[in-house]
Amino acid sequence: MTNQIESQFAKLKLHGMSKTWTAIKETRKNQSLSLSEGLELLLQAEELERDNRRFKRLETNAAFRYKASLEQLKLDKTRGLDQMMLTSLAAGEYITKGEAVLITGATGCGKSYLASALGHQACVLGFKAAYFNTQKLMLKTKMARLEGTVMKFFDKLAKTDLLIIDDFGLTHLEQQQRIDFMEMIEDRHGKKSTIIVSQLPVSSWYDIIGEETIADAILDRLVHSSYRIELKGESLRKKM
């Protein structure tokens, strides 16, 4: 009977149940648990197993720059990290509302790490996330246009719950890049959340985008309903 049960677990791919069933047998708890108690343990184990697999899949697909979590952050108000804001962001409501998070600060102050940590938390909550360096995102968009798949790529980005765009503003946007960036922001406005990470203050983004009408449209959609985090202090890399 035991072998038959294990065979059914394997056949139905109930890996969480299978591991817990083995543990129950090894500890001989199966002799003291009632049917409902045993079933509850098995179901909880299967739910946890599936949640863990989903998280790992979401995290792998997101391709974050760093393996980071909010719990690992060193909270310090002098660096611009506010406990109340991070607690609010950790709950993920900004993602369901389609709100933006704008992270700025000097090189090495932890911007990308913070963005990765927020992305990690999004995956924990079950949201789909994607992480891109700005130049690589623009290059990928250009390649998709050459291959005739740009609309499919835009559609995929539009359906991503949290899009993280890092290193924004290192170079000025070209005309087609401005249009593409506008398309991405427009598709997500009020529907999906976007995190933008930049060394430059938000006040300088207008010049980086470059064209007045497009810059106005992009910043209007990003700035007014966004969370703003300005990290301060010297480079953390110097302390490593």
Side-chain angles (χ1 to χ4, degrees):
M1 178 62 71
T2 297
N3 290 337
Q4 186 177 352
I5 291 174
E6 292 171 350
S7 177
Q8 286 295 102
F9 283 150
K11 183 178 180 180
L12 296 173
K13 298 182 179 179
L14 300 172
H15 305 299
M17 283 189 172
S18 179
K19 286 187 284 189
T20 301
W21 173 251
T22 299
I24 288 174
K25 285 193 307 169
E26 289 176 348
T27 57
R28 298 191 177 184
K29 284 187 176 180
N30 56 322
Q31 298 176 10
S32 59
L33 291 171
S34 67
L35 176 61
S36 60
E37 289 171 338
L39 185 57
E40 184 179 5
L41 277 176
L42 293 171
L43 289 172
Q44 287 175 345
E46 185 60 32
E47 182 179 21
L48 181 60
E49 174 76 14
R50 294 190 180 195
D51 285 346
N52 287 337
R53 286 207 307 268
R54 175 173 170 76
F55 164 72
K56 289 178 181 177
R57 183 172 66 252
L58 289 172
E59 186 180 46
T60 299
N61 291 340
F64 299 124
R65 185 169 180 176
Y66 296 107
K67 284 190 173 296
S69 68
L70 293 178
E71 291 79 10
Q72 295 172 319
L73 292 174
K74 294 181 180 179
L75 297 177
D76 185 349
K77 284 189 176 181
T78 63
R79 292 189 56 236
L81 284 175
D82 181 75
Q83 175 71 62
M84 291 292 289
M85 181 184 291
L86 287 179
T87 299
S88 176
L89 292 173
E93 190 175 353
Y94 76 101
I95 301 177
T96 59
K97 290 182 177 180
E99 295 173 331
V101 180
L102 311 181
I103 304 174
T104 58
T107 300
C109 67
K111 302 183 301 299
S112 298
Y113 191 92
L114 174 58
S116 296
L118 289 171
H120 170 97
Q121 180 64 15
C123 292
V124 169
L125 296 172
F127 292 110
K128 292 182 180 179
Y131 190 102
F132 287 98
N133 166 280
T134 301
Q135 291 305 307
K136 289 182 180 178
L137 176 60
M138 293 297 104
L139 179 59
K140 192 160 187 175
T141 304
K142 182 177 181 179
M143 294 302 297
R145 178 170 285 103
L146 292 173
E147 294 167 358
T149 59
V150 68
M151 295 311 297
K152 183 178 179 180
F153 181 59
F154 279 152
D155 187 55
K156 182 179 179 180
L157 289 179
K159 291 178 179 178
T160 301
D161 298 310
L162 177 62
L163 175 63
I164 301 174
I165 303 176
D166 200 355
D167 293 326
F168 178 74
L170 293 185
T171 60
H172 287 76
L173 297 180
E174 299 173 359
Q175 179 60 21
Q176 186 59 58
Q177 291 175 333
R178 294 186 196 111
I179 296 171
D180 290 341
F181 192 65
M182 175 63 205
E183 185 80 19
M184 295 173 195
I185 299 303
E186 173 64 26
D187 285 346
R188 305 181 63 75
H189 180 56
K191 303 171 189 173
K192 303 292 183 180
S193 184
T194 307
I195 295 177
I196 297 184
V197 182
S198 178
Q199 294 180 24
L200 301 174
V202 175
S203 58
S204 299
W205 292 8
Y206 196 99
D207 294 330
I208 291 299
I209 296 169
E211 203 280 321
E212 183 177 347
T213 304
I214 296 178
D216 279 338
I218 290 173
L219 294 178
D220 181 66
R221 286 159 176 75
L222 284 176
V223 173
H224 299 303
S225 61
S226 64
Y227 289 83
R228 303 276 286 273
I229 301 175
E230 183 181 352
L231 294 182
K232 303 172 183 177
E234 64 178 10
S235 174
L236 297 178
R237 294 169 189 161
K238 296 179 181 178
K239 302 177 182 180
M240 296 176 64

